[in-house]
Amino acid sequence: MSTPTTGQRQYAKTPGQRARILDAAMAVFARRGERGASLREIAERVGMSQAGVLHHFGSKNALLLAVLDRFDQEDQPGHPLLTIDESVAFVREELVQGLQRPGLFQLQITLAAESIDPAHPAHDFFVDRYRRVTSQFVEPLDAAAASGGLRDDVDTTALAHLVMGAMEGLQLHHALNPEVDTVASFDLLLDVLAEAFIVSSTPDQV
Amino acid sequence: MSTPTTGQRQYAKTPGQRARILDAAMAVFARRGERGASLREIAERVGMSQAGVLHHFGSKNALLLAVLDRFDQEDQPGHPLLTIDESVAFVREELVQGLQRPGLFQLQITLAAESIDPAHPAHDFFVDRYRRVTSQFVEPLDAAAASGGLRDDVDTTALAHLVMGAMEGLQLHHALNPEVDTVASFDLLLDVLAEAFIVSSTPDQV
DNA sequence: ACAAAAACCTAGCGCATATTCGGTTTCTTG
DNA sequence: CAAGAAACCGAATATGCGCTAGGTTTTTGT
């Protein structure tokens, strides 16, 4: 009765294998989307058979959900974002890192666009995700507006959507044309917004 | 010898049928993407068999290209955009109309995201398209900068990418969460940019 | 009115896919 | 070291896809 009814025995290398499958699945889903991705291609990358992959994740759908779960954790901030500066720094850092690890952003854009279709298996996930991320962004803005750090006539919701939208739209352009400098454009936006809306005790640091 | 060797006879209702097929294909491609779309679903919408659709367009690929062709024409400006005001007005009008005709934008986002994959049949189209649209936007900006209508230290390319990226990113969010007010966020961007960069002889009209 | 071609349809082919099934190997635990 | 289960694999199944083949109906110019 050491590992009883819950008995989920597991080999030592199993977590590693699952991780390798997730790596491959992320890359393939990012490139081809869920609809264009095949278990065969994922299995090939891992050096395993289709059936082997399914042994670990049960179905393509479950594999997709596991990928989304991991993706959600990887781009979650380590600590709550309380101030505007923290939020901005976090989101900008994401954009910068996206240049060296294009997979994450590509996964996001590819799957999010596919998920517009209500019949898509990730539809609910992305609908919920955008709501969460938006409120994560609106809250510090509202807090700043309340404490006088922001002009109080600003539509914080519109502002949050603008920043998030710009980030992903730029990323989409960059994916199609690598010459597009996402960070330059995004910084342009941040500078202009700061100049227009932030009420700083110290003068602006452009 | 009235319609000789080039003899492409056509029934009277054929153009109408082709148009109806294109309508259906646009809607289905917009919802499901190219990979998720099936000729069967398109044919059903038209009230025709799969083979009937193929009789008119030859292959799914050719149908996709026909859709892209039409799409490109529909959102092309009627006249060249020479000034910033014209460009901004045009792109903003597109956004407003997108609310009443979501199909066009959804088609654009869905297919563009799918097209990140170099193996996608529309890859070349979207790579080229973004280049074209960007330069269409950069040109009036450069002209304005040259004639003193714009602050001359502005990175016009980054600016153009920002505006285009924001537009599409917002549209993606809106597609997933209709509560997102794309026009409000976009106007926010335009106002802030105008205030920051446009050198107007008359004072700004917020 | 008549032939000829366009505009369809039904049926089926070949292929790729996700998933299942039964067996074999590999590891873990007592 | 010896069960026994986990971790695989090869093969088969069912489904959906784009596309083709061949025939029938509808429209057309003469």
Side-chain angles (χ1 to χ4, degrees):
Chain A
M1 238 195 265
S2 47
T3 49
T5 43
T6 12
Q8 302 254 25
R9 263 216 294 190
Q10 223 181 219
Y11 288 3
K13 65 172 180 175
T14 299
Q17 290 285 75
R18 283 179 60 101
R20 288 182 59 228
I21 295 175
L22 281 178
D23 285 342
M26 265 190 61
V28 175
F29 280 143
R31 206 169 309 231
R32 317 263 188 221
E34 191 267 344
R35 292 184 157 131
S38 72
L39 292 176
R40 176 169 270 105
E41 187 177 355
I42 294 168
E44 257 170 33
R45 281 191 175 230
V46 188
M48 190 184 282
S49 75
Q50 248 186 94
V53 171
L54 284 174
H55 168 73
H56 285 285
F57 289 94
S59 73
K60 185 184 182 183
N61 224 299
L63 177 56
L64 173 67
L65 295 181
V67 165
L68 291 177
D69 232 60
R70 188 206 238 191
F71 162 72
D72 221 31
Q73 285 166 5
E74 285 200 29
D75 84 341
Q76 214 73 10
H79 51 94
L81 305 173
L82 296 176
T83 70
I84 294 185
D85 283 349
E86 277 179 342
S87 310
V88 167
F90 173 72
V91 78
R92 189 181 178 281
E93 185 55 28
E94 261 199 322
L95 199 66
V96 171
Q97 286 188 338
L99 291 177
Q100 276 136 5
R101 231 190 122 180
L104 268 190
F105 260 110
Q106 200 159 315
L107 183 75
Q108 156 138 356
I109 293 169
T110 303
L111 291 186
E114 256 186 337
S115 298
I116 293 174
D117 185 357
H120 193 280
H123 177 79
D124 290 345
F125 172 86
F126 277 102
V127 168
D128 181 65
R129 177 169 207 277
Y130 278 125
R131 272 189 231 274
R132 275 185 295 124
V133 176
T134 299
S135 67
Q136 246 180 36
F137 224 87
V138 170
E139 280 159 16
L141 286 174
D142 282 339
S147 69
L150 207 68
R151 261 177 49 188
D152 55 1
D153 61 336
V154 184
D155 181 345
T156 52
T157 303
L159 187 53
H161 286 153
L162 173 58
V163 172
M164 289 174 48
M167 188 161 133
E168 276 179 49
L170 285 168
Q171 209 58 38
L172 171 59
H173 281 127
H174 177 76
L176 280 163
N177 177 8
E179 287 173 24
V180 173
D181 187 340
T182 55
V183 177
S185 287
F186 194 68
D187 280 347
L188 192 64
L189 174 66
L190 292 181
D191 287 350
V192 167
L193 287 178
E195 205 171 322
F197 295 131
I198 291 188
V199 180
S200 46
S201 34
T202 60
D204 354 5
Q205 58 276 14
V206 179
Chain B
M1 239 192 268
S2 45
T3 50
T5 42
T6 13
Q8 302 254 25
R9 264 215 294 189
Q10 224 182 217
Y11 290 1
K13 65 172 178 175
T14 299
Q17 290 286 74
R18 283 179 60 101
R20 288 182 59 227
I21 294 174
L22 281 179
D23 285 341
M26 266 190 61
V28 174
F29 280 142
R31 204 169 310 230
R32 317 266 189 221
E34 192 267 345
R35 293 183 157 131
S38 72
L39 292 176
R40 178 168 269 106
E41 187 177 355
I42 293 168
E44 255 171 34
R45 280 191 176 231
V46 187
M48 191 185 282
S49 75
Q50 240 187 104
V53 170
L54 283 174
H55 168 74
H56 285 285
F57 289 93
S59 74
K60 185 186 183 183
N61 224 298
L63 177 57
L64 173 67
L65 295 181
V67 165
L68 291 176
D69 233 59
R70 190 207 236 191
F71 161 72
D72 221 32
Q73 284 165 7
E74 284 200 29
D75 84 340
Q76 213 72 8
H79 51 92
L81 305 173
L82 298 175
T83 70
I84 295 184
D85 284 348
E86 277 179 342
S87 310
V88 167
F90 173 72
V91 79
R92 191 182 179 280
E93 184 56 28
E94 261 198 323
L95 199 67
V96 171
Q97 285 188 339
L99 291 178
Q100 278 134 4
R101 234 190 119 181
L104 268 190
F105 260 110
Q106 200 159 315
L107 184 75
Q108 157 137 356
I109 294 169
T110 303
L111 292 185
E114 257 186 338
S115 298
I116 292 173
D117 185 357
H120 193 280
H123 178 78
D124 290 345
F125 173 85
F126 276 102
V127 168
D128 180 65
R129 178 169 206 276
Y130 278 122
R131 272 190 231 275
R132 273 186 295 124
V133 176
T134 300
S135 67
Q136 246 179 39
F137 224 87
V138 171
E139 280 159 17
L141 287 174
D142 281 341
S147 70
L150 207 67
R151 260 176 49 186
D152 55 2
D153 61 336
V154 184
D155 181 344
T156 51
T157 303
L159 187 54
H161 286 151
L162 172 59
V163 173
M164 288 174 50
M167 188 161 132
E168 275 178 49
L170 285 169
Q171 207 61 38
L172 171 59
H173 281 128
H174 177 76
L176 280 164
N177 177 7
E179 286 173 25
V180 174
D181 188 340
T182 55
V183 177
S185 287
F186 195 67
D187 280 347
L188 192 63
L189 174 65
L190 292 182
D191 287 351
V192 167
L193 288 178
E195 205 171 321
F197 295 132
I198 290 188
V199 180
S200 46
S201 35
T202 60
D204 357 3
Q205 59 276 14
V206 179

